[in-house]
Amino acid sequence: MKLWDKGFEPNKLVEQFTVGQDRALDLALAPYDVEGSMAHIRMLKTIGLLTEDELCILLDGLKQIQKEIADGRFEIEEGIEDVHSEVEKLLTERLGSVGKKIHAGRSRNDQVLVDLKLFYRQRLKDMAEGIKNVFDTLLSLSEQHKDVLMPGYTHMQVAMPSSFGLWFGAYAETLVDDLRIVAAAYETANQNPLGSAAGYGSSFPLNRKMTTLWLQFHTLHYNVCAAQMGRGKTERALAYALNAVASTIGKLAMDVCLFMSQNFGFVSLPDEFTTGSSIMPHKKNPDVFEVMRSKCNRLQSLVSEVSLMTTNLPMGYQRDLQLLKDATFPALEEMDEVLRMLHFILPHLRVNRHILDDKRYDYLFTVEDVNRRVLSGEPFREAYRAVGMQVQRGEYQPNKSVCHTHEGSIGNLCNEQIRLKMENVFQRFA
Ligand code: ARG
């Protein structure tokens, strides 16, 4: 039975094709669908479309469904299209004709918008917490290993001294910038579309400010058509956010894979965090970071997927939009998994404290030597040439003392300032 039943049976194949994954995916929206309905009917009562008694009966019915969802007893039955239909069907079955009053002044189009906004808002907030956890770990590793030097590379060639303090701290501070993009997606999601109905509003005097307050949205999506266009736009913002975070974590995962190679030997993992080979008895592979890299690479494709799915759609609701859930829901799960794993494994990463004892890194110190000469009065270009000629003749002997004092350098990481930045951005999720 469909909400839109008009006395004919829809073709089964067409039904399966159009319903797609909704019966499974919409389960994640169920608590939000009920929350949205509660706000909607409380508002309907204030404009005279429900009596006090009817409201109480409907609220009790919704509370019962809420409990079933929380207990894992809620499902979307065969033949029911989506979560919105299931909730209305249950209310009507259980409460009789009063259940049929709930849908006045709204459409599944704005219902799914509300559900998604509430769902994405929550998931983006969870994601921000996951990012913050990883950030905290990175920053404390940066402090812990701030005196351990490592090579810095440009063009993948040995360049200048770096440190584990810089390396860990760099990813921490970059996550702050990623979090700004997550916050932008969060703010995009935090606007109330309810009342847009099918996408063009309603002739009932709906009180949209009231539902905004009850659903704790920061503001309304005022223009009803803009609210409808929010579907696709919110997903785009979310995809950019996932893209930003994934690009940072993917790069970190790549660094770890590279640095764990025997040719580098900068970091290692305890045996139990590595995986073996079926043929090579000596292997201890960094599969965790390889899988993480791949997941992060795949996550970055969400931007293209969402863009292509929504590009050139005309204004107003199109069923195409339904399929955005197929893309965004698993992506959110995947990002959650990646953040949890990274947070779990980072503290187990072992750092090699003696990397620079190896002669192959001697040239890291040429700029330090040039700078020392400049500090004792030699013009930079002459000092550069003198050290360059030493290298050229194979006579260069490094002086391995490193003295970097400016903000953000090896000797002055400014991790406290970075922490403050993070706290400022994190507050946008309050
Ligand atoms: N399952 C649908 C979706 O996600 C719900 C909205 C259906 N609206 C409609 N006009 N068929 O888009």
Side-chain angles (χ1 to χ4, degrees), residues 4 22 26 81-82 84 107-109 112 116 231 317-319 321-323 325:
W4 41 268
D22 260 20
D26 274 15
E81 282 191 310
D82 50 31
H84 329 291
S107 155
R108 277 186 299 166
N109 296 352
V112 67
L116 286 170
R231 189 140 186 222
Y317 178 84
Q318 327 291 331
R319 192 75 179 264
L321 297 170
Q322 174 176 296
L323 271 68
K325 295 184 286 194

Side-chain angles (χ1 to χ4, degrees), residues 31 71 189 268 282 291:
D71 297 345
S268 58
H282 65 282
V291 169

Side-chain angles (χ1 to χ4, degrees), residues 86-110:
E86 179 69 32
V87 170
E88 190 173 326
K89 188 200 118 228
L90 287 177
L91 286 179
T92 310
E93 258 173 23
R94 292 172 184 177
L95 309 175
S97 63
V98 65
K100 296 181 184 165
K101 292 196 162 189
I102 188 168
H103 207 58
R106 73 173 184 183
S107 155
R108 277 186 299 166
N109 296 352
D110 67 343

Side-chain angles (χ1 to χ4, degrees), residues 207-252:
N207 189 336
R208 298 190 61 208
K209 284 192 182 141
M210 205 171 253
T211 56
T212 303
L213 208 68
W214 282 331
L215 294 168
Q216 292 178 1
F217 278 112
H218 178 67
T219 183
L220 288 85
H221 238 149
Y222 288 102
N223 182 309
V224 287
C225 299
Q228 178 53 57
M229 281 201 285
R231 189 140 186 222
K233 195 53 110 178
T234 313
E235 282 80 357
R236 234 176 236 251
L238 178 117
Y240 291 139
L242 289 171
N243 182 290
V245 181
S247 74
T248 303
I249 296 178
K251 198 188 278 285
L252 172 60

Side-chain angles (χ1 to χ4, degrees), residues 7-289:
F8 63 86
E9 270 305 305
N11 178 283
K12 274 274 164 271
L13 277 178
V14 169
E15 190 195 338
Q16 275 167 13
F17 187 76
T18 50
V19 169
Q21 306 297 320
D22 260 20
R23 268 202 285 276
L25 291 176
D26 274 15
L27 289 178
L29 298 180
Y32 305 104
D33 199 71
V34 172
E35 204 182 327
S37 289
M38 285 176 160
H40 180 68
I41 57 172
R42 284 169 72 192
M43 184 278 294
L44 285 186
K45 195 235 141 198
T46 68
I47 60 169
L49 288 180
L50 288 174
T51 66
E52 179 72 38
D53 284 352
E54 288 171 332
L55 175 64
C56 286
I57 294 167
L58 284 168
L59 282 176
D60 283 347
L62 285 168
K63 276 183 203 148
Q64 191 187 331
I65 297 174
Q66 210 166 37
K67 186 152 187 333
E68 288 161 9
I69 295 166
D71 297 345
R73 283 183 288 127
F74 178 86
E75 55 180 43
I76 301 168
E77 297 152 57
E78 190 72 36
I80 302 295
E81 282 191 310
D82 50 31
V83 65
H84 329 291
S85 313
E86 179 69 32
V87 170
E88 190 173 326
K89 188 200 118 228
L90 287 177
L91 286 179
T92 310
E93 258 173 23
R94 292 172 184 177
L95 309 175
S97 63
V98 65
K100 296 181 184 165
K101 292 196 162 189
I102 188 168
H103 207 58
R106 73 173 184 183
S107 155
R108 277 186 299 166
N109 296 352
D110 67 343
Q111 240 182 306
V112 67
L113 280 172
V114 176
D115 295 4
L116 286 170
K117 292 267 189 195
L118 293 172
F119 170 76
Y120 290 143
R121 182 177 73 175
Q122 184 57 49
R123 297 308 296 259
L124 286 162
K125 193 171 177 167
D126 296 345
M127 195 168 126
E129 264 153 35
I131 293 167
K132 174 80 163 48
N133 289 339
V134 170
F135 169 90
D136 288 341
T137 306
L138 285 167
L139 214 60
S140 72
L141 287 168
S142 168
E143 279 298 311
Q144 192 183 328
H145 301 296
K146 67 177 171 212
D147 297 322
V148 186
L149 294 182
M150 70 192 293
Y153 295 84
T154 67
H155 308 263
M156 291 194 77
Q157 306 289 308
V158 165
M160 281 185 65
S162 180
S163 70
F164 281 99
L166 273 182
W167 185 57
F168 286 118
Y171 282 103
E173 190 171 1
T174 303
L175 283 177
V176 178
D177 286 334
D178 297 334
L179 196 66
R180 292 180 208 284
I181 305 176
V182 180
Y186 175 81
E187 285 157 9
T188 306
N190 202 4
Q191 309 181 83
N192 186 17
L194 189 59
S196 58
Y200 299 93
S202 161
S203 55
F204 293 124
L206 304 175
N207 189 336
R208 298 190 61 208
K209 284 192 182 141
M210 205 171 253
T211 56
T212 303
L213 208 68
W214 282 331
L215 294 168
Q216 292 178 1
F217 278 112
H218 178 67
T219 183
L220 288 85
H221 238 149
Y222 288 102
N223 182 309
V224 287
C225 299
Q228 178 53 57
M229 281 201 285
R231 189 140 186 222
K233 195 53 110 178
T234 313
E235 282 80 357
R236 234 176 236 251
L238 178 117
Y240 291 139
L242 289 171
N243 182 290
V245 181
S247 74
T248 303
I249 296 178
K251 198 188 278 285
L252 172 60
M254 173 64 205
D255 280 359
V256 174
C257 293
L258 199 64
F259 293 168
M260 259 184 79
S261 146
Q262 287 76 5
N263 299 74
F264 287 78
F266 297 173
V267 295
S268 58
L269 280 173
D271 287 353
E272 67 266 34
F273 297 109
T274 64
T275 56
S277 150
S278 60
I279 179 171
M280 297 166 281
H282 65 282
K283 286 296 228 115
K284 287 173 185 166
N285 298 324
D287 290 27
V288 174
F289 287 95

